[in-house]
Amino acid sequence: EAQVTQNPRYLITVTGKKLTVTCSQNMNHEYMSWYRQDPGLGLRQIYYSMNVEVTDKGDVPEGYKVSRKEKRNFPLILESPSPNQTSLYFCASSLYGQGALRTNSPLHFGNGTRLTVT
Amino acid sequence: TQLLEQSPQFLSIQEGENLTVYCNSSSVFSSLQWYRQEPGEGPVLLVTVVTGGEVKKLKRLTFQFGDARKDSSLHITAAQPGDTGLYLCALQRGSSASGTYKYIFGTGTRLKVLA
């Protein structure tokens, strides 16, 4: 089954303790991205990747890191989590990468990771 | 400043009623996507509208792209409890020169249809 898989679904941690949220897609998609969803603010893009070894900052990148060593995986790293990073996080992928502006390729989302930082 | 404004923010209606939600921008955009997100899941694409004035139908859902390509609407006829969810509009924004792009989402309309 074609899907985007995020793990874990729920995570409770303490301030300053490094964590990684994994994301994997099995559709051979070039484009991958991370979003956070907060009440009243909608989905905001954290980082995105056009292809392997190519990553760019989204609208809210502060406090996050990503890497794209393989096409299928795009982990989100919080080196020193803080309470303001408590949120619902989504990973998503899309077929086309660089040069594909206006191809209107849809985003395929994972089921989310609910992170609480105390 | 939000690039995409959605209204209303919340909507609670009875089964069988009709409703319209809106997605507006001060900028012209080349295309717009509509997604629906159900509780506990990620958003799922409903439709993409590309041409100004375009109307697309998906069963009881009708999507319209404004003539000036600065707004879009989603109309649901005879709403059912299964239509409950968060409706999001989104667009691609980027640079043709660099070939990079990102997705911008609206704040969403949270719809609840009561049986």
Side-chain angles (χ1 to χ4, degrees), chain A residues 84-103:
Chain A
N84 65 11
Q85 292 178 298
T86 292
S87 187
L88 179 58
Y89 290 86
F90 286 99
C91 178
S93 70
S94 184
L95 180 59
Y96 299 114
Q98 193 135 3
L101 181 63
R102 300 199 178 98
T103 58

mmCIF file of all heavy atoms in Angstrom, chain A residues 84-103:
data_model
loop_
_atom_site.group_PDB
_atom_site.id
_atom_site.type_symbol
_atom_site.label_atom_id
_atom_site.label_comp_id
_atom_site.label_asym_id
_atom_site.label_seq_id
_atom_site.Cartn_x
_atom_site.Cartn_y
_atom_site.Cartn_z
ATOM 1 N N ASN A 84 7.332 25.387 23.469
ATOM 2 C CA ASN A 84 6.636 26.002 22.327
ATOM 3 C C ASN A 84 6.693 25.144 21.062
ATOM 4 O O ASN A 84 6.126 25.505 20.019
ATOM 5 C CB ASN A 84 7.149 27.419 22.045
ATOM 6 C CG ASN A 84 8.596 27.461 21.603
ATOM 7 O OD1 ASN A 84 9.198 26.435 21.294
ATOM 8 N ND2 ASN A 84 9.173 28.646 21.561
ATOM 9 N N GLN A 85 7.363 24.008 21.145
ATOM 10 C CA GLN A 85 7.363 23.061 20.040
ATOM 11 C C GLN A 85 6.324 21.952 20.248
ATOM 12 O O GLN A 85 6.222 21.028 19.426
ATOM 13 C CB GLN A 85 8.754 22.468 19.832
ATOM 14 C CG GLN A 85 9.759 23.507 19.326
ATOM 15 C CD GLN A 85 11.153 22.951 19.161
ATOM 16 O OE1 GLN A 85 11.782 22.507 20.125
ATOM 17 N NE2 GLN A 85 11.641 22.964 17.939
ATOM 18 N N THR A 86 5.563 22.059 21.328
ATOM 19 C CA THR A 86 4.423 21.162 21.512
ATOM 20 C C THR A 86 3.431 21.417 20.374
ATOM 21 O O THR A 86 2.981 22.551 20.187
ATOM 22 C CB THR A 86 3.756 21.425 22.870
ATOM 23 O OG1 THR A 86 4.648 21.016 23.905
ATOM 24 C CG2 THR A 86 2.437 20.665 22.990
ATOM 25 N N SER A 87 3.123 20.382 19.626
ATOM 26 C CA SER A 87 2.303 20.565 18.433
ATOM 27 C C SER A 87 1.985 19.211 17.804
ATOM 28 O O SER A 87 2.454 18.172 18.267
ATOM 29 C CB SER A 87 3.056 21.438 17.415
ATOM 30 O OG SER A 87 2.240 21.774 16.309
ATOM 31 N N LEU A 88 1.178 19.257 16.748
ATOM 32 C CA LEU A 88 0.896 18.084 15.926
ATOM 33 C C LEU A 88 1.721 18.216 14.649
ATOM 34 O O LEU A 88 1.604 19.226 13.949
ATOM 35 C CB LEU A 88 -0.599 18.019 15.608
ATOM 36 C CG LEU A 88 -1.090 16.865 14.733
ATOM 37 C CD1 LEU A 88 -0.745 15.522 15.369
ATOM 38 C CD2 LEU A 88 -2.591 16.980 14.529
ATOM 39 N N TYR A 89 2.551 17.225 14.380
ATOM 40 C CA TYR A 89 3.479 17.293 13.262
ATOM 41 C C TYR A 89 3.066 16.320 12.156
ATOM 42 O O TYR A 89 2.681 15.182 12.423
ATOM 43 C CB TYR A 89 4.894 16.949 13.728
ATOM 44 C CG TYR A 89 5.498 18.004 14.607
ATOM 45 C CD1 TYR A 89 5.268 18.003 15.983
ATOM 46 C CD2 TYR A 89 6.278 19.024 14.070
ATOM 47 C CE1 TYR A 89 5.802 18.989 16.790
ATOM 48 C CE2 TYR A 89 6.816 20.012 14.875
ATOM 49 C CZ TYR A 89 6.576 19.989 16.228
ATOM 50 O OH TYR A 89 7.099 20.970 17.026
ATOM 51 N N PHE A 90 3.174 16.794 10.917
ATOM 52 C CA PHE A 90 2.865 15.957 9.761
ATOM 53 C C PHE A 90 4.027 15.955 8.783
ATOM 54 O O PHE A 90 4.613 16.989 8.482
ATOM 55 C CB PHE A 90 1.623 16.475 9.027
ATOM 56 C CG PHE A 90 0.352 16.192 9.749
ATOM 57 C CD1 PHE A 90 -0.245 17.174 10.517
ATOM 58 C CD2 PHE A 90 -0.253 14.952 9.656
ATOM 59 C CE1 PHE A 90 -1.433 16.918 11.199
ATOM 60 C CE2 PHE A 90 -1.435 14.682 10.322
ATOM 61 C CZ PHE A 90 -2.026 15.674 11.098
ATOM 62 N N CYS A 91 4.309 14.769 8.277
ATOM 63 C CA CYS A 91 5.229 14.599 7.167
ATOM 64 C C CYS A 91 4.394 14.385 5.916
ATOM 65 O O CYS A 91 3.297 13.792 5.976
ATOM 66 C CB CYS A 91 6.129 13.387 7.424
ATOM 67 S SG CYS A 91 7.296 13.014 6.107
ATOM 68 N N ALA A 92 4.867 14.877 4.787
ATOM 69 C CA ALA A 92 4.132 14.709 3.533
ATOM 70 C C ALA A 92 5.114 14.563 2.385
ATOM 71 O O ALA A 92 6.238 15.062 2.443
ATOM 72 C CB ALA A 92 3.198 15.898 3.289
ATOM 73 N N SER A 93 4.665 13.909 1.333
ATOM 74 C CA SER A 93 5.507 13.750 0.151
ATOM 75 C C SER A 93 4.702 14.039 -1.105
ATOM 76 O O SER A 93 3.462 13.974 -1.112
ATOM 77 C CB SER A 93 6.095 12.338 0.090
ATOM 78 O OG SER A 93 5.083 11.383 -0.202
ATOM 79 N N SER A 94 5.419 14.357 -2.161
ATOM 80 C CA SER A 94 4.783 14.641 -3.442
ATOM 81 C C SER A 94 5.683 14.107 -4.544
ATOM 82 O O SER A 94 6.905 14.065 -4.385
ATOM 83 C CB SER A 94 4.570 16.148 -3.582
ATOM 84 O OG SER A 94 3.874 16.451 -4.760
ATOM 85 N N LEU A 95 5.087 13.746 -5.654
ATOM 86 C CA LEU A 95 5.827 13.027 -6.691
ATOM 87 C C LEU A 95 7.015 13.803 -7.236
ATOM 88 O O LEU A 95 8.114 13.269 -7.385
ATOM 89 C CB LEU A 95 4.859 12.672 -7.831
ATOM 90 C CG LEU A 95 5.450 11.907 -9.015
ATOM 91 C CD1 LEU A 95 6.045 10.583 -8.545
ATOM 92 C CD2 LEU A 95 4.382 11.668 -10.069
ATOM 93 N N TYR A 96 6.773 15.097 -7.561
ATOM 94 C CA TYR A 96 7.792 15.855 -8.297
ATOM 95 C C TYR A 96 8.625 16.735 -7.385
ATOM 96 O O TYR A 96 8.127 17.332 -6.438
ATOM 97 C CB TYR A 96 7.134 16.713 -9.372
ATOM 98 C CG TYR A 96 6.375 15.915 -10.387
ATOM 99 C CD1 TYR A 96 4.995 16.024 -10.487
ATOM 100 C CD2 TYR A 96 7.022 15.028 -11.239
ATOM 101 C CE1 TYR A 96 4.285 15.290 -11.415
ATOM 102 C CE2 TYR A 96 6.320 14.294 -12.165
ATOM 103 C CZ TYR A 96 4.955 14.427 -12.250
ATOM 104 O OH TYR A 96 4.253 13.692 -13.160
ATOM 105 N N GLY A 97 9.894 16.870 -7.739
ATOM 106 C CA GLY A 97 10.786 17.698 -6.953
ATOM 107 C C GLY A 97 11.151 18.967 -7.697
ATOM 108 O O GLY A 97 10.304 19.695 -8.182
ATOM 109 N N GLN A 98 12.430 19.183 -7.817
ATOM 110 C CA GLN A 98 12.911 20.439 -8.380
ATOM 111 C C GLN A 98 12.434 20.633 -9.808
ATOM 112 O O GLN A 98 12.424 19.709 -10.619
ATOM 113 C CB GLN A 98 14.438 20.466 -8.351
ATOM 114 C CG GLN A 98 15.025 21.825 -8.617
ATOM 115 C CD GLN A 98 16.141 22.160 -7.630
ATOM 116 O OE1 GLN A 98 16.500 21.351 -6.797
ATOM 117 N NE2 GLN A 98 16.680 23.347 -7.735
ATOM 118 N N GLY A 99 12.033 21.871 -10.101
ATOM 119 C CA GLY A 99 11.581 22.197 -11.435
ATOM 120 C C GLY A 99 10.128 21.886 -11.678
ATOM 121 O O GLY A 99 9.623 22.044 -12.778
ATOM 122 N N ALA A 100 9.421 21.463 -10.640
ATOM 123 C CA ALA A 100 8.050 21.006 -10.826
ATOM 124 C C ALA A 100 7.022 22.004 -10.319
ATOM 125 O O ALA A 100 5.889 21.631 -10.058
ATOM 126 C CB ALA A 100 7.856 19.667 -10.135
ATOM 127 N N LEU A 101 7.418 23.276 -10.169
ATOM 128 C CA LEU A 101 6.441 24.280 -9.763
ATOM 129 C C LEU A 101 5.293 24.295 -10.752
ATOM 130 O O LEU A 101 5.490 24.240 -11.946
ATOM 131 C CB LEU A 101 7.103 25.654 -9.716
ATOM 132 C CG LEU A 101 6.230 26.827 -9.293
ATOM 133 C CD1 LEU A 101 5.742 26.638 -7.866
ATOM 134 C CD2 LEU A 101 6.992 28.130 -9.407
ATOM 135 N N ARG A 102 4.095 24.332 -10.230
ATOM 136 C CA ARG A 102 2.877 24.396 -11.027
ATOM 137 C C ARG A 102 2.515 23.074 -11.686
ATOM 138 O O ARG A 102 1.707 23.043 -12.618
ATOM 139 C CB ARG A 102 2.924 25.518 -12.073
ATOM 140 C CG ARG A 102 3.100 26.869 -11.440
ATOM 141 C CD ARG A 102 2.715 28.006 -12.339
ATOM 142 N NE ARG A 102 2.867 29.268 -11.627
ATOM 143 C CZ ARG A 102 3.916 30.059 -11.737
ATOM 144 N NH1 ARG A 102 4.902 29.734 -12.517
ATOM 145 N NH2 ARG A 102 3.983 31.181 -11.057
ATOM 146 N N THR A 103 3.105 21.993 -11.266
ATOM 147 C CA THR A 103 2.602 20.705 -11.752
ATOM 148 C C THR A 103 1.396 20.287 -10.938
ATOM 149 O O THR A 103 0.708 19.337 -11.311
ATOM 150 C CB THR A 103 3.661 19.592 -11.617
ATOM 151 O OG1 THR A 103 4.045 19.495 -10.249
ATOM 152 C CG2 THR A 103 4.861 19.871 -12.493
#
